[in-house]
Amino acid sequence: MATASVVPTRMRSINQTVLIVEDDCLLLLDARIALEDAGYAVVEAADAASALAAFDACSDIAAVISDIHMPGATDGVDLARIIRARRPDIPMILTSGDRRHADLPDGVQLIAKPYRSMHLVDQLRTPIAA
């Protein structure tokens, strides 16, 4: 009788890269660990300028998660618009402690802070798998 082997989530590779843009190092670390445990590769950035440089340098980014409020001249909403102009099909999630963001680009999800990192992973799986 054949037995199925179960590979722990941490060991499974999804072969997709997620760009995380977060200036709070603890939130960034928590999100990165959750995504890596779920099998994603992660590219990190602390602001929009660094995120755009990473986005341009890494052609295999499959999704973007960004805080809305971060240092620099460009916030997460503007970053989402710039990335959408370059790749309209890329799944994007924005996070914020402020729930009043009516001006989000089409198709961009908003997750309110505080959030559980597994909620972030669950929300990410749906658009990438689609």
Side-chain angles (χ1 to χ4, degrees):
M1 179 173 180
T3 60
S5 64
V6 176
V7 178
T9 303
R10 177 178 291 230
M11 303 305 290
R12 278 186 258 155
S13 176
I14 293 177
N15 293 325
Q16 292 179 323
T17 302
V18 177
L19 171 60
I20 304 175
V21 190
E22 175 61 67
D23 61 312
D24 182 314
C25 61
L26 293 178
L27 291 176
L28 178 63
L29 177 64
D30 185 52
R32 183 184 54 143
I33 289 170
L35 289 168
E36 288 175 345
D37 282 352
Y40 294 96
V42 174
V43 174
E44 300 176 356
D47 57 45
S50 300
L52 289 171
F55 188 78
D56 290 339
C58 186
S59 63
D60 63 342
I61 291 175
V64 177
I65 300 170
S66 177
D67 187 14
I68 290 179
H69 302 289
M70 56 189 158
T74 305
D75 68 8
V77 174
D78 290 335
L79 175 63
R81 286 191 182 104
I82 293 166
I83 289 175
R84 278 278 190 222
R86 295 178 186 182
R87 289 206 20 224
D89 61 325
I90 194 164
M92 296 192 68
I93 297 173
L94 294 179
T95 65
S96 178
D98 182 0
R99 297 169 195 249
R100 299 167 294 162
H101 292 285
D103 59 345
L104 295 179
D106 289 339
V108 174
Q109 297 180 63
L110 177 65
I111 295 180
K113 290 180 179 177
Y115 57 81
R116 283 183 270 162
S117 56
M118 284 313 300
H119 177 66
L120 189 67
V121 171
D122 291 341
Q123 292 301 308
L124 188 61
R125 282 185 177 149
T126 302
I128 287 183

